[in-house]
Amino acid sequence: MRGENISYCDHTGLWKNELLGWVPEYIFDAHVHLGPPGIMKPISPERAKEPLATFTDFTWEDSLRIYKQLFSSKKIAGVCAFGFPLREVDIEAANSYIADLMADSPHLYGFIISDPFDTGRTIALFNSAMDKGIRFRGVKPYFDFLGKPNLLTRMYEFVPSDLLEFMNSEKLILMLHTAGMGMCDRENQDFVRAIAEKFPGIKIILAHMGRYVYPEQFFTFLASGVADIPSVFLDVSSATVTEVYEKTLSNERLREKLLFATDMPYGLITGTERFSEEKGFSFITRDDYPWSDPALQKQFSAERERLTYNTYHVIKALKDAMERLGISGQAEVQLKEDVFFRNAARIFNAVD
């Protein structure tokens, strides 16, 4: 899907009737994909069956247009952005686009997408931007460059040690989409713990709350203590289960680690995630996509009518969790401002 073709619709009135008055004035979006048309090879019919390949471009202008509609009356105070880390993308062009945006947009914090097979190439791209006075704030490694499904990858394959050594020397932030089943995997827990111990200059943002299929897997991750490590943070994109936030917010130390994130444009998919043994991670959606499972769509036909943008369901789950925990008054105001803006702003040194 082309970014310029994305149109807005408050399908169920969730934003207008419930979320608009609840979301604070300022938003820092900690997870956004941006890229211009023309820098990605054509998506094959087989690849089009993967949710990952839903979008081929999404420009800064597209995002500003959508933000005005998606979060009407709110102010976007910061954006953490990186290219589309798909195997079809031109890595140089994707990173150059983000670097050019940073030069003109002081509230855009760019991450470089890395080549898992050639850290020297990643470093060269980083230094090339530095020569122009532009400094990437972090790195976005990704499994898809390996050419195999995420469930079959291991973290060290796309986050090599020489990349971590470079990041540590530059004090860069790691935006980490975890391998396998997510942070419930002991190997992934050990991997993140090892980064924190060996590379203290790296802050780690676990995308999508570290990833989980079932809430119990997320609870296993929390019980490991990895989320309590000072350098580890959690971005909320795609996480739409109320119990996950309820468990997280019950630990007051974790409240300063939650970062609001949309995963735009993927946060505009009209649905919530599901997992099947055959297809792995997918979605139940209001709209039909090339990768939609007809059987699942039919099975959940009634639920589909209640669906809207994934990022709205994320906010709704967070709101419901706070209400279940009885967080209200000034404590509620403080927590919302922390999650939606201040926590990320502190990581990026965007506030005092």
Side-chain angles (χ1 to χ4, degrees), residues 237-256:
S237 61
S238 297
T240 60
V241 178
T242 300
E243 290 76 14
V244 163
Y245 295 109
E246 190 174 4
K247 187 75 170 180
T248 304
L249 296 173
S250 295
N251 182 343
E252 293 193 12
R253 295 190 306 275
L254 297 182
R255 295 180 182 184
E256 63 184 22

Side-chain angles (χ1 to χ4, degrees), residues 155-174:
M155 220 89 95
Y156 66 82
E157 294 182 276
F158 59 96
V159 191
S161 58
D162 55 353
L163 175 65
L164 292 170
E165 290 169 1
F166 169 71
M167 292 181 63
N168 189 60
S169 69
E170 293 290 340
K171 292 182 168 53
L172 298 175
I173 301 168
L174 173 63

Side-chain angles (χ1 to χ4, degrees), residues 209 212 215 218-219 221-222 227-228 233-236 239 241-259 318 321 325 327 335 339:
M209 299 289 278
Y212 58 88
F218 180 80
F219 303 154
F221 159 48
L222 284 191
D228 292 294
F233 300 85
L234 305 170
D235 104 31
V236 304
V241 178
T242 300
E243 290 76 14
V244 163
Y245 295 109
E246 190 174 4
K247 187 75 170 180
T248 304
L249 296 173
S250 295
N251 182 343
E252 293 193 12
R253 295 190 306 275
L254 297 182
R255 295 180 182 184
E256 63 184 22
K257 292 171 169 283
L258 283 181
L259 312 176
L318 178 63
L325 292 171
I327 301 172
L335 180 54
V339 173

Side-chain angles (χ1 to χ4, degrees), residues 249-294:
L249 296 173
S250 295
N251 182 343
E252 293 193 12
R253 295 190 306 275
L254 297 182
R255 295 180 182 184
E256 63 184 22
K257 292 171 169 283
L258 283 181
L259 312 176
F260 177 70
T262 63
D263 196 15
M264 285 236 285
Y266 298 95
L268 299 174
I269 290 174
T270 55
T272 56
E273 288 186 326
R274 288 290 192 282
F275 179 82
S276 69
E277 296 296 335
E278 289 185 358
K279 292 201 169 187
F281 291 94
S282 191
F283 293 80
I284 300 298
T285 56
R286 182 185 190 91
D287 300 306
D288 289 317
Y289 295 86
W291 39 262
S292 295
D293 184 328

Side-chain angles (χ1 to χ4, degrees), residues 93-144:
N95 287 322
S96 292
Y97 180 72
I98 298 297
D100 290 343
L101 289 176
M102 282 193 287
D104 297 326
S105 308
H107 299 301
L108 189 147
Y109 302 86
F111 280 29
I112 192 168
I113 54 175
S114 59
D115 183 342
F117 303 108
D118 189 352
T119 295
R121 180 188 186 191
T122 302
I123 294 173
L125 291 170
F126 179 90
N127 289 334
S128 177
M130 285 288 285
D131 290 341
K132 301 175 185 177
I134 300 165
R135 189 176 192 279
F136 283 99
R137 301 298 296 274
V139 178
K140 169 66 174 179
Y142 205 59
F143 73 92
D144 194 59

Side-chain angles (χ1 to χ4, degrees), residues 274 284-285 295-305 307:
R274 288 290 192 282
I284 300 298
T285 56
L296 281 177
Q297 292 287 77
K298 182 178 181 180
Q299 179 183 352
F300 294 98
S301 58
E303 179 180 339
R304 291 174 60 196
E305 294 300 314
L307 293 174

